Amino acid sequence: MTDAVGSIDMPDAEDEAPESNKKSRKGGKRGKKGPLGRLALFYRQIVAELRKVVWPTRSQLTTYTSVVIVFVVVMIGLVTVLDMGFARVIKYVFG
């Protein structure tokens, strides 16, 4: 099957690199590190990602928390009313 660029089954010639010019390494950079090195890299990446996070201010956090609590209380009330209504209907139908 082909598309506008070329064959899906066969990669383009410029995408292929001759294997004689490159050393084939099994795992890339991660391949030569041991388990502790990979674990250290993992934690460094976690810290780097956490530094990118935009943390909410105290007032935003208070607002978000209040909205969530109010929403949960409203949903609890709605489910309770529906449950009591269905219970009365079932009691009426089945005696």
Side-chain angles (χ1 to χ4, degrees):
M1 184 169 167
T2 61
D3 57 358
V5 177
S7 172
I8 293 175
D9 297 331
M10 299 294 292
D12 294 337
E14 58 200 42
D15 291 343
E16 294 178 4
E19 292 184 22
S20 62
N21 291 344
K22 290 172 118 181
K23 289 184 179 178
S24 63
R25 222 181 320 174
K26 189 171 182 179
K29 288 184 178 180
R30 286 182 276 171
K32 57 184 182 176
K33 291 184 180 179
L36 292 177
R38 288 192 304 246
L39 189 63
L41 174 65
F42 177 69
Y43 283 116
R44 279 196 306 268
Q45 289 173 346
I46 289 174
V47 170
E49 287 298 321
L50 285 175
R51 286 186 180 155
K52 296 178 188 177
V53 173
V54 178
W55 297 99
T57 62
R58 184 173 293 272
S59 64
Q60 289 174 333
L61 190 62
T62 305
T63 303
Y64 298 157
T65 304
S66 302
V67 168
V68 168
I69 289 173
V70 168
F71 177 77
V72 168
V73 168
V74 168
M75 292 307 294
I76 288 172
L78 179 66
V79 169
T80 302
V81 168
L82 287 174
D83 183 50
M84 291 172 71
F86 286 134
R88 287 189 179 181
V89 169
I90 294 298
K91 208 179 239 188
Y92 177 75
V93 170
F94 294 109

